[in-house]
């Protein structure tokens, strides 16, 4: 089903700004009606948002937080695309029932057991349920069964514990397969644009920190195409191992003659808060980068479920969250948030805490769900100033209320990640190396 955003390319003009009066201001100016002398020109959001974003890109510390919504703009020519939560439900259902695909009973019976009811049907097909809730309840039931079970019951191959473990393993395996959608042909225009714009920051400032809850490789692939260095906590050895100390490293250029070294431009810090599809934990606990299908290597992912908060206190997630909390409390910090719905309290709470205590923290939040798409689809064109109810999610609601109270640190926009990237002003004064990279990009884009 299509709506206002379907197949709409990223553009700054798609953004709307939440005003102190609680209305959503359009991007461009609204000119006065020449046939009505009583009308006046009404300024759009363009100038105000450009000023805020210019201040942000030149802040001492720049942080970006990308949620699952930021990956929807990554496009493949084939059917494999960035999944939503409903896609994960259907993928898990299909994977669990791959040996009995006729009526999906292997999956539906577990849903009935732990939730009590199946999602309703629509046009003869079952609608997607809440995969996070399902996996959470399955984990809870498994823990209860294991506490009460005897040792023989725990290892019974046809017992309820073994069956539930197999269900969870297959469902999580389906999720892992579904989020592995990025390859060398994937269009990553927005991710590439974000990296290009921030790569031009002065090298004497702290490196831009990219935090993401996504498992996919959108950021890594975009950076690789641009020749950008990502410091992500892994070594540069043949077997890349995670060590928090690597975040303290940097990349310099040392001349062949002499001892002087200078920092190279275009270096980012990447923190994957929920893990990555190419992270694996060995039996000795060491986390390495690997895509190998090896039963001794366990994927390092915080799967969708309500226990994400507890899992976040395990390594290497703990190191990622510690970095986020520390970064949010640095002076003169700008945080750009896109595609993140503030449903994860273990991430939302530190951001809100920083807003309460850090007077020099500036937050720019963009989300396409603040205004119902039906209002943007209105004909004739929607009003220059649109009314829309405040978001109901706890932290989004509190952040938007700061805007209504006149907090100048907070900017809330209705739009998508790709719209925000288009609106971010380009930093002038490229280095010789950056100009060379741009020329090479132009040559690669020309068909031979």
């Amino acid at each position: 089903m299509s709506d206002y955003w379907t197949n709409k390319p990223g553009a700054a003009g798609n953004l709307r700004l939440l005003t102190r009066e609680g209305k959503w201001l359009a991007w461009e100016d609204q000119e006065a009606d020449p046939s009505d002398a009583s009308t006046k020109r009404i300024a759009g959001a363009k100038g105000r948002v450009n000023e805020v974003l210019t201040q942000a890109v030149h802040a001492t510390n720049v942080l970006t937080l990308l949620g699952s919504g930021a990956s929807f703009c990554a496009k493949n020519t084939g059917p494999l695309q960035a999944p939503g939560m409903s896609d994960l439900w259907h993928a898990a259902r299909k994977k669990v029932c791959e040996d009995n695909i006729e009526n999906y009973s292997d999956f539906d019976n577990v849903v009935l057991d732990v939730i009590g009811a199946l999602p309703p049907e629509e046009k003869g097909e079952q609608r997607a349920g809440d995969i996070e809730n399902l996996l959470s309840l399955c984990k809870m039931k498994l823990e209860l069964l294991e506490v009460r079970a005897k040792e023989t019951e725990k290892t019974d191959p046809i017992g309820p514990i073994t069956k539930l473990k197999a269900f969870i393993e297959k469902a999580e395996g389906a999720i892992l397969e579904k989020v592995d959608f990025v390859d060398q042909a994937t269009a990553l225009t927005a991710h590439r644009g974000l990296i290009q714009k921030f790569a031009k920051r002065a090298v004497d400032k702290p490196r831009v920190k990219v935090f993401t809850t996504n498992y996919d490789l959108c950021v890594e692939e975009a950076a690789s195409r641009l020749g950008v260095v990502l410091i992500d906590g892994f070594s540069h050895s043949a077997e890349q191992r995670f060590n928090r100390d690597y975040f303290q490293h940097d990349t310099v250029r040392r001349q062949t003659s002499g001892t002087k070294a200078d920092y190279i431009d275009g270096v980012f810090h990447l923190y994957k808060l929920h893990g990555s599809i190419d992270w694996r934990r060995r039996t000795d606990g060491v986390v390495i980068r690997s895509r190998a299908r090896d039963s001794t290597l366990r994927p390092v992912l915080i799967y969708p479920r309500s226990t994400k908060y507890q899992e976040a206190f395990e390594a290497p997630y703990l190191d990622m969250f510690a970095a986020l909390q520390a970064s949010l409390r640095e002076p003169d910090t700008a945080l750009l948030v896109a595609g993140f719905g503030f449903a994860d309290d273990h991430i939302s709470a530190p951001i809100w805490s920083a807003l309460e205590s850090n007077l020099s923290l500036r937050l720019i939040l963009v989300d396409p769900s603040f205004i119902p798409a039906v209002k943007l689809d209105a004909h004739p064109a929607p009003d220059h100033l649109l009314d829309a109810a405040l978001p109901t999610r706890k932290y989004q609601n509190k952040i938007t209320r700061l805007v209504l109270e006149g907090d100048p640190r907070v900017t809330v926009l209705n739009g998508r990640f790709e719209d925000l990237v288009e609106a971010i002003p380009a930093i002038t004064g490229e280095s010789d190396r950056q100009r060379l990279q741009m020329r090479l990009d132009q040559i690669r884009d020309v068909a031979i």
Side-chain angles (χ1 to χ4, degrees), residues 119-145:
E121 289 194 358
E122 184 177 340
K123 296 180 180 179
E125 294 185 3
Q126 186 188 105
R127 291 172 55 184
D130 187 336
I131 188 66
E132 182 168 306
N133 183 46
L134 174 62
L135 289 177
S136 300
L137 293 173
C138 286
K139 282 285 187 178
M140 292 177 189
K141 181 176 180 179
L142 181 61
E143 290 176 4
L144 288 172
L145 288 174

Side-chain angles (χ1 to χ4, degrees), residues 412-424:
V412 177
L413 301 167
N414 187 81
R416 303 162 300 174
F417 170 56
E418 54 266 44
D419 302 319
L420 176 65
V421 171
E422 290 296 321
I424 295 173

Side-chain angles (χ1 to χ4, degrees), residues 145-196:
L145 288 174
E146 288 182 324
V147 167
R148 299 167 57 182
K150 299 176 182 178
E151 289 301 319
T152 54
E153 294 174 323
K154 292 180 182 179
T155 57
D156 184 356
I158 60 172
I161 292 178
T162 302
K163 287 184 176 180
L164 191 54
K165 282 184 176 179
F167 176 90
I168 295 171
E169 183 178 343
K170 284 188 175 182
E172 292 181 343
I175 292 172
L176 181 61
E177 292 175 6
K178 200 69 177 175
V179 297
D180 189 6
F181 65 93
V182 177
D183 58 31
Q184 294 181 347
T186 304
L188 298 167
T189 306
H191 293 84
R192 180 179 175 131
L194 180 76
I195 293 172
Q196 281 180 316

Side-chain angles (χ1 to χ4, degrees), residues 190-200 219 222-223 226 228 268:
H191 293 84
R192 180 179 175 131
L194 180 76
I195 293 172
Q196 281 180 316
K197 289 187 175 181
F198 281 114
K200 299 174 185 178
V219 176
L226 292 169
V228 164
F268 291 75

Side-chain angles (χ1 to χ4, degrees), residues 238-304:
E239 182 181 66
Q240 297 181 51
R241 301 185 181 190
F242 178 83
N243 188 320
R244 66 180 66 89
D245 291 339
Y246 290 124
F247 282 114
Q248 308 302 320
H249 294 187
D250 211 316
T251 306
V252 300
R253 183 183 301 106
R254 185 178 295 277
Q255 304 297 332
T256 54
S257 59
T259 59
K260 183 181 177 181
D262 63 300
Y263 290 98
I264 69 170
D265 44 47
V267 175
F268 291 75
H269 283 196
L270 176 62
Y271 299 85
K272 305 196 79 168
L273 299 172
H274 286 169
S276 180
I277 61 170
D278 61 346
W279 293 4
R280 297 290 186 272
R281 194 186 303 276
R282 300 189 324 201
T283 53
D284 60 0
V286 174
V287 176
I288 64 172
R289 178 174 282 118
S290 173
R291 304 290 292 274
R293 294 184 178 274
D294 187 336
S295 60
T296 64
L297 298 176
R298 184 162 54 91
V300 181
L301 299 177
I302 297 181
Y303 288 99

